[in-house]
Amino acid sequence: KPSPAAALLGDSVTVDRMTYPTDSLTNITPNILAKVGRNLHKLHNHPLFLIRKRIENFFYHHYVNRRGNPIFSVYDSLSPVVTLEQNFDSLLVPEHHVSRAPSESYYINSDYMLRAHTSAHQRDLIRSGLDAFLVFGDVYRRDEIDSTHYPVFHQVEGVRLFTQHELFQKVRDPSHLSIFEEHGKRMADKQEGHSMEAAKLLEHSLKTTLVNLAKHLFGKGIEARWVDAYFPFTHPSWELEIQYKGDWLEVLGCGIVEQKLLHSSGSGNQVGWAFGLGLERLAMKLFTIPDIRLFWSTDSGFLSQFDVEDPNTPVTYKPVSIFPQCTNDISFWLPSDSSYSYTPNDFYDLVRNIGGDLVEQVYLFDKFVHPKKQRTSHCYRIVYRHMERTLTQEEVNVIHRQIETSATKLLGVEIR
Ligand code: PHE
């Protein structure tokens, strides 16, 4: 029998270019489907892209091999459609664990779902032979809707594996040490198969890496604290909290990878750590973005604030007017008369003079040279928005025409 969502979608549903039959578990909605493929973490003027670059750079610069090449490989294009086996079973999530409830995740059908965390890719990437990687991606969870919750958000997963030789690299005489222990017991601070030395070195490596990452993102002055946690795929497990501008903020979950997971991935001779971190929460704090819905905005008044060359540029979000934008384009031939020396800044000043604060943004979005006439054409987009009320298109047209007239007269351009 079809679920209510399946009844709405019909017999099949297409997600990320693949078509799946719906069934009684189907609970994805058209609204959620519309988010798949937006890939906010890959948009160059997006706050999530800035955070992602800062995280990537941290790992690229601090973790290099003897030749100076980064050891972490980065994945940002893995499909959010995964099997239930990838999202849960591969991570040792118990059969009746609460996270499997249909009320928690978005199911395409009984076999496929939208990943609820980037951990869904751990097993497969380890199996493919990687031992240091980051995965950036959109993740989907059914949740309440308020200023900090949204059913789609973005995570980065980090995994680092070590051979015995690598883990004990800095130990003066490691010959008597082993990362494994035959008849060990599972304890609060280690797995049964791990030696205490291995467990402690891994914990140290994981915690210093993540505190340094937090300092890289939030500044050297932050306070950090570790809270014990539980995840089915790591033991021991922790959450990192940092104090930033007075508030304690939970930033990530992490732990020592369950040896059973590594064993099933063909890497049973290695040990390792993993972490998963939500990008929106960090970005909201770092850039003072007040509402998580803003990340989905296509408004240039929002996006242009994050359009910076260097990802480390400090950005503090300034709320844009909630009134709608009006966009008008203007194209002209630059003056052929060499007595005019045209620069785009001339045009920007002219626009400011006429449009005043109604102009939110002006940018050059196209230019070309006419092959025969050898004349250059510029095309600008002008975004108009009143801060206190809705502008009408008629009102905007009047200002826009004044700009055209004035540019012809003052700058010597020829409107196309
Ligand atoms: N996947 C976990 C989450 O989404 C975070 C995590 C990742 C925890 C890796 C441990 C190791 O909450």
Side-chain angles (χ1 to χ4, degrees):
K1 121 186 167 307
S3 67
L8 194 70
L9 295 165
D11 290 344
S12 68
V13 58
T14 302
V15 193
D16 197 21
R17 295 180 303 267
M18 290 277 282
T19 301
Y20 304 84
T22 56
D23 65 23
S24 60
L25 204 54
T26 305
N27 66 1
I28 48 166
T29 62
N31 175 272
I32 295 299
L33 283 172
K35 310 289 188 222
V36 177
R38 287 281 301 273
N39 291 324
L40 303 182
H41 59 293
K42 301 208 277 183
L43 300 179
H44 285 224
N45 56 353
H46 200 279
L48 297 177
F49 181 79
L50 284 192
I51 294 274
R52 169 247 167 108
K53 279 290 154 195
R54 290 180 189 183
I55 294 170
E56 242 175 49
N57 287 342
F58 171 81
F59 283 97
Y60 281 160
H61 293 140
H62 292 83
Y63 296 88
V64 292
N65 62 20
R66 266 174 278 118
R67 292 218 211 90
N69 295 323
I71 62 170
F72 277 85
S73 359
V74 176
Y75 291 80
D76 69 357
S77 303
L78 299 174
S79 173
V81 177
V82 298
T83 60
L84 276 59
E85 198 276 333
Q86 287 174 300
N87 196 81
F88 299 120
D89 303 75
S90 79
L91 293 160
L92 317 169
V93 175
E95 198 177 341
H96 296 291
H97 196 261
V98 284
S99 65
R100 293 186 187 244
S103 60
E104 300 299 302
S105 302
Y106 289 103
Y107 290 89
I108 295 171
N109 60 30
S110 306
D111 298 317
Y112 294 93
M113 64 186 293
L114 294 174
R115 65 185 162 214
H117 51 181
T118 42
S119 302
H121 302 290
Q122 272 195 23
R123 193 263 326 264
D124 296 341
L125 290 174
I126 295 171
R127 195 178 268 173
S128 78
L130 298 172
D131 43 44
F133 59 85
L134 302 174
V135 180
F136 291 88
D138 39 341
V139 300
Y140 298 76
R141 290 185 200 173
R142 303 185 75 183
D143 214 335
E144 62 209 282
I145 297 182
D146 66 26
S147 70
T148 59
H149 290 89
Y150 203 78
V152 193
F153 61 101
H154 296 75
Q155 284 190 325
V156 56
E157 190 84 6
V159 172
R160 171 83 162 104
L161 305 184
F162 302 83
T163 59
Q164 166 152 317
H165 175 75
E166 284 170 321
L167 192 67
F168 293 145
Q169 206 149 45
K170 292 196 182 119
V171 176
R172 200 162 309 138
D173 177 19
S175 58
H176 59 292
L177 295 179
S178 170
I179 50 176
F180 299 117
E181 186 176 285
E182 290 255 345
H183 305 288
K185 273 214 194 71
R186 176 162 292 235
M187 299 190 277
D189 56 358
K190 74 169 201 69
Q191 294 173 32
E192 55 276 30
H194 291 169
S195 67
M196 188 57 88
E197 292 81 9
K200 287 297 159 191
L201 281 172
L202 283 170
E203 177 176 345
H204 178 75
S205 160
L206 172 61
K207 288 183 171 178
T208 48
T209 299
L210 293 175
V211 168
N212 286 336
L213 173 63
K215 288 184 172 167
H216 175 74
L217 296 172
F218 288 94
K220 292 258 180 293
I222 54 147
E223 289 280 346
R225 68 183 182 201
W226 291 98
V227 180
D228 289 335
Y230 165 80
F231 300 103
F233 38 96
T234 52
H235 182 81
S237 306
W238 301 273
E239 276 165 3
L240 173 61
E241 297 185 347
I242 61 155
Q243 196 176 31
Y244 184 66
K245 294 184 177 167
D247 303 327
W248 282 99
L249 180 71
E250 187 195 309
V251 280
L252 58 83
C254 66
I256 309 307
V257 181
E258 281 288 355
Q259 206 56 36
K260 194 173 164 196
L261 194 162
L262 292 179
H263 191 75
S264 72
S265 315
S267 292
N269 61 331
Q270 288 171 293
V271 292
W273 50 247
F275 69 87
L277 177 161
L279 301 183
E280 274 83 349
R281 202 191 295 221
L282 295 192
M284 288 178 82
K285 281 286 163 189
L286 269 178
F287 304 135
T288 63
I289 296 173
D291 192 310
I292 196 164
R293 287 173 302 175
L294 282 163
F295 290 103
W296 297 88
S297 170
T298 54
D299 187 307
S300 68
F302 175 75
L303 293 174
S304 64
Q305 297 192 31
F306 301 95
D307 195 2
V308 293
E309 194 70 35
D310 174 359
N312 294 319
T313 312
V315 178
T316 302
Y317 169 71
K318 291 172 220 62
V320 285
S321 161
I322 56 167
F323 296 97
Q325 299 177 314
C326 247
T327 302
N328 278 28
D329 294 346
I330 179 169
S331 315
F332 45 69
W333 297 110
L334 300 196
S336 44
D337 179 344
S338 60
S339 63
Y340 290 100
S341 61
Y342 180 88
T343 85
N345 277 340
D346 297 336
F347 181 65
Y348 301 150
D349 279 328
L350 182 142
V351 173
R352 279 193 205 98
N353 279 336
I354 297 168
D357 284 344
L358 296 185
V359 177
E360 186 170 85
Q361 206 188 9
V362 186
Y363 59 97
L364 177 61
F365 75 89
D366 189 33
K367 56 178 167 188
F368 76 93
V369 179
H370 191 284
K372 287 216 193 82
K373 296 184 190 152
Q374 282 300 304
R375 289 190 76 182
T376 306
S377 164
H378 278 191
C379 193
Y380 294 86
R381 182 151 290 166
I382 307 182
V383 181
Y384 299 87
R385 170 160 33 201
H386 198 292
M387 297 298 282
E388 288 88 26
R389 62 181 176 83
T390 300
L391 280 175
T392 64
Q393 189 63 54
E394 288 75 35
E395 251 178 306
V396 168
N397 289 347
V398 172
I399 303 164
H400 200 71
R401 248 175 268 121
Q402 281 178 32
I403 290 172
E404 288 177 344
T405 318
S406 200
T408 310
K409 224 173 21 201
L410 300 174
L411 304 179
V413 303
E414 203 179 312
I415 306 291
R416 295 178 48 208

